[in-house]
Structure formats: C-alpha cells, structure tokens
Amino acid sequence: MTWHPRLAAAALLLLVAPLSALDGEPGMHDPSTVIQADGRFYVYATGNGLPAFVSDDGWTWRRAGAVMQAVPGGRPGPDVLARGGNNTWAPDIMRVGDRYYLYYSAPGPQPKSAIGLLIGKTLDPASPDYKWEDAGPVVWSDGVEDSNAIDPGVFRDPGNGSLWLTYGSYFGYIRLVELDPKTGKRLHPERAPINVSINSEASIMIFRDGWYYLLVTHGSCCQGGNSSYNIRMGRSRKVTGPFLDNMDVDMLQGGGKLFAGSSGRHIGPGHFGLLALGEGVQKFSLHYESDLDRGGISVLDIRPLLWRDGWPVAGDNLTAGTYEIESARTGTALEMAVQGAPVGGARRGPGGPPPGQGPPSGAPPGTPPAPRPPIPAQEADQVSANWPGGAAGVRLAPYMLQAQQKWAITPVAGAGGYPGSPYFKITVAGTDRALAATAEAELTVLPAFTGGPEQLWRVDQLTDGTYRLMPKGVPGSKDAMALSAVGSSTPTLAAFRPAGDRERWLIKTP
Amino acid sequence: MTRLRNALVSAIVSAIGALPFAVVVIVAATGQQPAPAPAPAIGPPTAPTAPTTPNAPRGPAPSLARPASPTKASDRAGFLQRWLILEPLKVPGQLTEGAVQALVKKEHVPESLTAVPKDGEVVHAGDETLTWRAVDTTAYNVNLFHFAYALNKPTSNVLFWAVTVVDAPREMPGVRLAIGSNAASVWWLNGQEVIGLYNDRQAVIDDGVSPRLTLKKGPNVIRAAIVNAGGATDFCARFLDGNDAPIIGLVVRLDAAAGATPRP
C-alpha cells in the first residue's frame, strides 16, 4: 500500500460547497475529531496550514482560516520540519485541562514523517487569546522503520485519565504511545511504541463498558469515487491491546470488523471521530472520499453512533419520508387525535368469500372463489372530511395504518440544524397539518406549518437505535424538551431522561 | 335533557334484592353521611356466587369492600382505592369519541361534575333507579365487573359513573391525573374535563394522562364516566408528579368536599 497526494486533493475540496448532507462548507479531507467549545463546533482538516472549520449548530459549516495563521512562523516548528516535512495533514484535537492539544501530521517524503503538537487556549479565532504554540514533534518515523508517523488519533482513558496517541498509515504499523497530560508529549519517550494494527490508517480509540475500541480506516484514499476507504475496528480489554475483531482476528494480522462502508450517495468513509453530545447521545464524524451529490468531492459528515452487542454501529441520519412514530415505552403510535377509520372500511370476514361472492356462476364444483382485491393504503384525503379544520390534539394509539397515524418528516431548508441534520417539520402525511409544541409544554397539530420554532423538530438517533425528538423551541420556555410518552395514550414534552424509554421513539416505515 | 335526577329530597330506602346481601341505605336530606350499612353487596375478595333469585345480588364482590374508615390513603403505587360508584346505567355501548362524548353530556347535568354524592344516594335515570355505593378496592384497580355482577346488574352496554375526593394537604402544581380504563372513559378534575379515552380497550396503568394540573389545597373532586360494551370492565387512577413518578399517600376523604362545593 502506498500513500497518496492528499494535499492536492484537499485543496480542490475546499473550493466547493454544494448542498446536501451537512450544509455550508463541509468540503474537507481527513477531518479531526469534531470538538465543541464555547457553544460552537470546530473541526480541522488536511490542507495548507491546516484548514479550520466552525459551525454554530453542527449542521451549517464555514471556513475559519487555517491553524498555521496563528502559529509563530506560520508553519511547523523547526524540530517538526527536521523530523518530518512541511506538510500539514490529518490533525486531531482534544481539550486537556484548560488547553487544547492539536496534533497534526507533518510528512516529508513518506514514510519519513512526524506528528507535531500545537497548544492553544481557545479555538475562537476572534478571541484575543487565540494563538497556537509549537510544542515540537511528538512521534516520528525515519523513513525506514515499519511506521509512517501521520494520522494522529488522541484518546483519553476515562478510567484513569491517561492520555494516548495512536498513529500510522499503511507502511508498517499503527502504533500506540502514552502521552503526558501535562505536556501533551510522550510520557515515556524511552519506551518503544506499541504496535496495535497493520494495513490501515486514521486510527483512533474510544472506550465503552470496559472495552477499548480501535477504529482504523482500511482501503485506498484520495481517488474520488475509486476510493475503497472503509472504517474497521477491533476491541480489547486493555488499552494496549491486542485488538481483536468479531472473528477474534488480531488487527495486527489484518483483522477488523467493518464499521462503515460506502452507502447511499457516499463513497469511501474514513477518519472516525467520536462526538459525544451528552445525555448518552453519541455521534461520530467522518469524511467521505466522494459525495456524489456534491460532484464527487470529499466532505465531512456527522452521523449517529449506535451500539449493538458490544460493538459500535454506524447509524444514518434520518431522511425525508413518511413514518410511523412509535413510543419505545408504550408501543403505541403518535396520532392526530381524530376518530380513525378502519383501513379498507367496515369489518371483513376472516377468510373465504364474502356472502354472495362464491365461485363464478356456472363454474365447476370446487372452483375457488376469485381472490379479494388488494386494499389500498389509507390516505388522508380519503378520511379527512370529518377532521377538525383548526388545531387538533395529539395522542398515542395502537398503530393501525390509519392516515392520522402516518407522519411526513421533511427537512426544512434555511431553518438551521444540529450535528448531522437539519431541522424537520413533522406533518400528517398528505396534509400540511404540523406537529407543534404548545406554551404548556404539551402537543398540538396546527392546521398548517408556518415555520415557527415550535414546529421545527430535532431528530437524534440514540445509541440503542431509537430516536429523540425535540422541538427547536417551546413557547415561553428556555428549557430543552423532548417528545415524551407520559402514558400509553398520552404524549407530552419533558426533559430528556436517557435512563429510560419515556423519550425514546421508533421511527418506522409504515 | 338529563336522565339522572337527584333524589336527595327525601330519605330513600334502597333495598337491593334479598338478604343477607341487601344494602339498606338511608340518605338524609341534609346530606349527612349515612351510617355504615351492614352486609353490603360488596365485600371481601371471594369468588362471586351464582344467583339464586332473579335480580338478587350475587355478592360479595371479589376485590371490593365497603369503606370502614373515614379516610383512605393511596396504595404504595399511588392508586386511589376508595370510590363512589353509581350502579350501571344501561346505554348503547358505542365507544367512539363522538358517541361517548354525546353520552356523557346527555347523562349528567354540568353542575354535577363537582358534586359528591352520598353513599347510598339514589338517583333515577329514566325508568331506572340507581344507587351510589362507596367501595374500597383491594387492588390497584376498581373492578366494575365485580361491582355490577355482585349486584346482579348488567356489565355490558353500560355506563358507570365514579367519583372520589382527594384531600390535598397543600396546593400541588404540575401534577397529572393518570388513569386506565376498560373501556372508554371521560375524566373531570374539579369540573374540568382532563382525559378522554375512547374505543374498545383494556385498563392499562397510566394509559390516559391529563395535562399538567394543579391540585388545590383541600378537596379535589374527580369524576369519571366509564362506558363498557362487553366483557371485563374496570379502571385505575393515580396522580403523577412533575417527574412522572406516582404521588404516594394522597388521602381520599369522600366527605371532604361537603360544604365546600355547592350541590346542584
């Protein structure tokens, strides 16, 4: 496996900002972990001077200059240049104490390369405190050894607070070293790095329930739609490995359970980064080598992180469609509170021909009756004549495929969003009747969608695959509230409680 | 036009069937609570027995007992276990929202939504004479089938009225009334309609839950209409706090509203 001309590719990516997936300017390559600071989201990527990107909501992104603009000399420090080269690729970032450690790749003629450290107090370029200090190289590869010291991934062990760095790219091993949280540099530079994986790059670790997970990217990068990039993983009970995949194959021997491959309109996912949003909500950042909806450029994306059977699972952001919204607590479905009509009309027999509808006249004995015709799906315009013209209540009921139980969930352009998704409107399918929050923190269906924050919904998929639905705003309240099943027939709005099912919902295709 | 007529104007003797299960209740015009009557048609939990005489009570009703104390605190899960139940009123048994709403509007006078009947109080509904009966349930729910069956009353295509009075120790904002019912039901708190459940259904704990409400200090009158089309019929009710947790220990005092709420 060889390395690729990332810099040239990344330079092209930054010029384009079409629509879809994340909004604004998500064109980038090798993104760092997305980090939250002072109410904003930041991410850094491969490119001249390490391009910086910022978002106020995690949905709409914009360029925010380059990191090296705030570094004395405007480029890697002399020791970094000596160990590696004057390139700035594939950074990663973490807040440690009151400082930010930004690790970046500074390759020379690969596999001669170095990983440098920059230290800053703030991520806000407008702050008077905004500057990055060169802290020199952290690890490096000499061009001969079995290592290519690029693609840093920094990890804080939640068990003991220890700090670790994984790095490497195809040539040789993915390596692990322990860092000193006080300096961001190696804690034991005299010790040999620990090899943890091969055949991969873009490594990073996460931890959950006693397991350390090593996520890496396999395949080829930087070839647009011809990139075979895919994210794979193994796990270990120890931070130092061995990291085994789902078939117990050691990642040092090429193992790796697939976490995310190409799908939909996106080719070549790579460079996993955990984005923990609190209250048990986890997402992950990555880039695609080719976003077909943006002419094939590489873009950042943020997606839900799910967990199943002890392994992380790559979730997908909700897309526009018509859905049943079912309470994970009660198993009953959200509906506009109107008298439902059975699908297909009045009661029909359990089987066999209805009265007077036997075999065709004159048919020989034993001729089976004609099969009953299919019953079409119930649409709103078939049953809405008796629905109230004004606002209606909202309740939960057994799902019976009825029109008042089917909801169109539709992204709203220009209304902002949250990490990974835009706000949605939720309307009774086939109508403009919009689910909305009331000033009493209850629910109503308004006769028409008018775009108010009480009618805009944030839909986050949670780690168990269920969803949390939150209005952008509740009239007269500053509290964040989520759709909640307070009873089997009764929805309301309440603070999200991650420990239970009250605010968890299944979104199903009818 | 209402079918129910209050019968407080005179003392009424309600003799329900043959002894020993007959209930004899004397209701004074003053509204004074009657003395506990002996041997009601409800009693400790035992299996119903087959009737020996047409229209005779079959009692005692499993799971229901006659109140033996002035007050009763909710159980450990917050369920209200003391109620006044009116003997079942024969109705068409339609359970849609429109049918149930029309029925409950037809079958009560609006002023009565905050009134608290007396144990043994008799009302007339068309050609039916029905008696309010105070009951304690030994379970989380009130089994209306037990109630009606023990009295040898119909259990299908019926409407049950139920009333209780929660004596709140202080003003309690942000609470919710949470009920389950078999089948459809409509609920009022202090005269305000707060819950409606419709269509054929089983009684599920916390099925219908009211919007956030305020229990005022002192008596709060809960009234419910439960409509059953056929089969089992029951209900359960409790209050939830601001975190949706049951409120434990609320006290029911059926005479707490006496003098506080004008009778219609």
Side-chain angles (χ1 to χ4, degrees):
Chain A
M1 189 68 199
T2 59
W3 43 90
H4 301 278
R6 293 188 190 178
L7 188 58
L12 290 173
L13 303 172
L14 302 177
L15 302 176
V16 189
L19 299 175
S20 91
L22 295 176
D23 205 2
E25 300 176 289
M28 67 186 75
H29 200 262
D30 307 332
S32 70
T33 296
V34 174
I35 188 168
Q36 299 179 76
D38 301 323
R40 291 193 174 116
F41 298 86
Y42 295 87
V43 68
Y44 304 90
T46 287
N48 280 328
L50 292 173
F53 299 80
V54 63
S55 174
D56 296 326
D57 58 9
W59 164 244
T60 303
W61 291 82
R62 61 182 183 275
R63 276 295 305 272
V67 170
M68 288 297 171
Q69 292 171 333
V71 175
R75 63 178 190 165
D79 291 346
V80 175
L81 291 173
R83 296 288 188 182
N86 188 21
N87 293 300
T88 47
W89 293 0
D92 199 26
I93 189 167
M94 177 176 283
R95 182 183 175 96
V96 179
D98 60 353
R99 296 181 296 175
Y100 295 94
Y101 291 165
L102 195 158
Y103 298 87
Y104 65 100
S105 312
Q110 295 179 76
K112 181 177 184 294
S113 185
I115 290 175
L117 171 62
L118 300 173
I119 299 177
K121 292 182 178 179
T122 177
L123 304 183
D124 181 5
S127 168
D129 293 331
Y130 181 70
K131 63 178 180 180
W132 292 100
E133 298 287 351
D134 172 36
V138 180
V139 291
W140 51 86
S141 52
D142 60 12
V144 177
E145 63 185 297
D146 289 333
S147 173
N148 180 19
I150 64 170
D151 287 8
V154 62
F155 166 69
R156 191 80 187 250
D157 188 334
N160 58 16
S162 59
L163 196 63
W164 300 83
L165 183 77
T166 56
Y167 62 96
S169 173
Y170 295 117
F171 189 91
Y173 297 103
I174 301 297
R175 288 183 159 169
L176 172 72
V177 295
E178 186 171 4
L179 303 175
D180 183 348
K182 296 177 182 175
T183 65
K185 306 291 284 293
R186 289 191 66 181
L187 184 62
H188 303 291
E190 75 284 2
R191 297 180 185 174
I194 300 168
N195 298 328
V196 290
S197 181
I198 60 168
N199 297 345
S200 53
E201 62 180 4
S203 62
I204 199 163
M205 283 199 288
I206 59 175
F207 178 87
R208 182 182 174 92
D209 292 341
W211 288 101
Y212 297 89
Y213 296 85
L214 176 64
L215 291 105
V216 301
T217 303
H218 282 207
S220 58
C221 86
C222 316
Q223 300 175 45
N226 197 34
S227 303
S228 60
Y229 242 23
N230 61 94
I231 301 174
R232 291 182 176 265
M233 58 190 171
R235 66 181 185 180
S236 172
R237 289 293 188 185
K238 296 196 300 182
V239 67
T240 51
F243 292 91
L244 308 182
D245 69 10
N246 56 318
M247 300 302 291
D248 290 335
V249 179
D250 194 326
M251 294 179 78
L252 271 173
Q253 297 177 323
K257 172 179 168 64
L258 182 68
F259 171 76
S262 300
S263 63
R265 301 279 292 167
H266 300 127
I267 296 172
H271 284 259
F272 174 97
L274 176 65
L275 177 57
L277 296 174
E279 296 185 314
V281 181
Q282 292 187 334
K283 303 204 176 187
F284 71 96
S285 59
L286 73 167
H287 82 249
Y288 303 115
E289 291 289 327
S290 177
D291 179 351
L292 300 182
D293 289 331
R294 285 186 167 90
I297 68 165
S298 176
V299 297
L300 175 73
D301 199 6
I302 298 173
R303 291 165 54 178
L305 181 63
L306 284 55
W307 289 89
R308 189 173 301 139
D309 298 330
W311 291 95
V313 175
D316 291 298
N317 290 309
L318 189 68
T319 56
T322 297
Y323 299 101
E324 173 203 357
I325 302 174
E326 179 184 299
S327 165
R329 175 188 179 185
T330 67
T332 45
L334 196 73
E335 70 171 22
M336 183 170 67
V338 295
Q339 182 63 48
V343 178
R347 179 178 180 176
R348 299 175 182 221
Q357 194 178 330
S361 176
T367 301
R372 296 186 184 187
I375 297 172
Q378 186 181 92
E379 306 295 344
D381 58 6
Q382 299 168 352
V383 294
S384 61
N386 294 326
W387 291 358
V394 184
R395 66 189 173 201
L396 301 172
Y399 185 64
M400 297 170 68
L401 289 70
Q402 295 178 2
Q404 78 280 3
Q405 301 179 312
K406 293 186 281 189
W407 300 90
I409 303 181
T410 311
V412 179
Y418 46 92
S421 282
Y423 281 107
F424 292 89
K425 65 176 179 179
I426 302 176
T427 52
V428 177
T431 79
D432 198 31
R433 297 168 182 262
L435 183 69
T438 71
E440 294 76 30
E442 301 291 352
L443 295 154
T444 187
V445 175
L446 299 175
F449 176 76
T450 57
E454 78 283 0
Q455 304 166 47
L456 296 170
W457 292 85
R458 170 177 179 159
V459 184
D460 290 302
Q461 192 171 25
L462 306 173
T463 54
D464 64 351
T466 62
Y467 290 85
R468 179 184 69 175
L469 294 88
M470 306 176 76
K472 185 177 183 180
V474 176
S477 174
K478 294 182 180 178
D479 296 333
M481 307 192 90
L483 184 66
S484 176
V486 68
S488 294
S489 294
T490 314
T492 186
L493 294 171
F496 177 62
R497 289 161 285 191
D501 282 342
R502 284 182 168 87
E503 289 82 40
R504 294 177 186 269
W505 300 82
L506 303 171
I507 296 182
K508 297 180 173 179
T509 302
Chain B
M1 177 177 177
T2 181
R3 292 177 60 196
L4 297 184
R5 286 184 286 108
N6 210 310
L8 286 177
V9 294
S10 61
I12 297 172
V13 176
S14 177
I16 308 299
L19 295 173
F21 302 112
V23 177
V24 180
V25 180
I26 299 175
V27 179
T30 60
Q32 187 177 7
Q33 191 81 356
I42 50 180
T46 56
T49 54
T52 54
T53 306
N55 302 321
R58 297 156 159 139
S63 77
L64 299 176
R66 184 170 178 76
S69 59
T71 63
K72 185 169 181 60
S74 71
D75 73 2
R76 287 180 294 178
F79 289 104
L80 306 177
Q81 295 181 297
R82 176 169 293 178
W83 293 83
L84 285 152
I85 311 290
L86 183 63
E87 292 173 347
L89 180 66
K90 297 173 185 173
V91 297
Q94 298 297 314
L95 300 175
T96 63
E97 178 173 355
V100 169
Q101 279 289 339
L103 186 63
V104 299
K105 286 178 172 58
K106 176 183 175 186
E107 299 294 354
H108 73 73
V109 291
E111 294 81 3
S112 71
L113 290 173
T114 56
V116 180
K118 302 300 178 188
D119 185 17
E121 184 176 323
V122 171
V123 298
H124 298 287
D127 57 357
E128 295 184 78
T129 298
L130 308 172
T131 302
W132 285 95
R133 298 180 180 277
V135 299
D136 282 355
T137 177
T138 57
Y140 73 97
N141 62 335
V142 177
N143 192 316
L144 296 170
F145 187 94
H146 288 178
F147 175 83
Y149 186 88
L151 295 167
N152 205 1
K153 299 288 186 180
T155 58
S156 298
N157 301 321
V158 288
L159 164 64
F160 295 93
W161 286 100
V163 174
T164 197
V165 183
V166 170
D167 195 7
R170 62 187 182 283
E171 182 175 280
M172 302 173 68
V175 305
R176 299 174 184 267
L177 176 62
I179 67 93
S181 67
N182 183 347
S185 63
V186 182
W187 295 72
W188 295 263
L189 176 68
N190 296 327
Q192 177 189 359
E193 183 178 326
V194 293
I195 300 172
L197 292 180
Y198 307 103
N199 303 318
D200 191 19
R201 61 198 313 122
Q202 288 73 51
V204 174
I205 291 172
D206 302 344
D207 187 356
V209 182
S210 75
R212 296 170 180 88
L213 303 166
T214 296
L215 279 177
K216 59 187 171 70
K217 182 179 180 181
N220 294 267
V221 179
I222 303 170
R223 177 173 281 251
I226 299 99
V227 182
N228 191 43
T233 176
D234 64 325
F235 70 87
C236 59
R238 62 181 176 178
F239 282 92
L240 305 178
D241 66 16
N243 293 317
D244 307 338
I247 299 175
I248 312 300
L250 281 175
V251 171
V252 169
R253 184 191 302 272
L254 294 180
D255 64 353
T261 304
R263 299 298 304 270

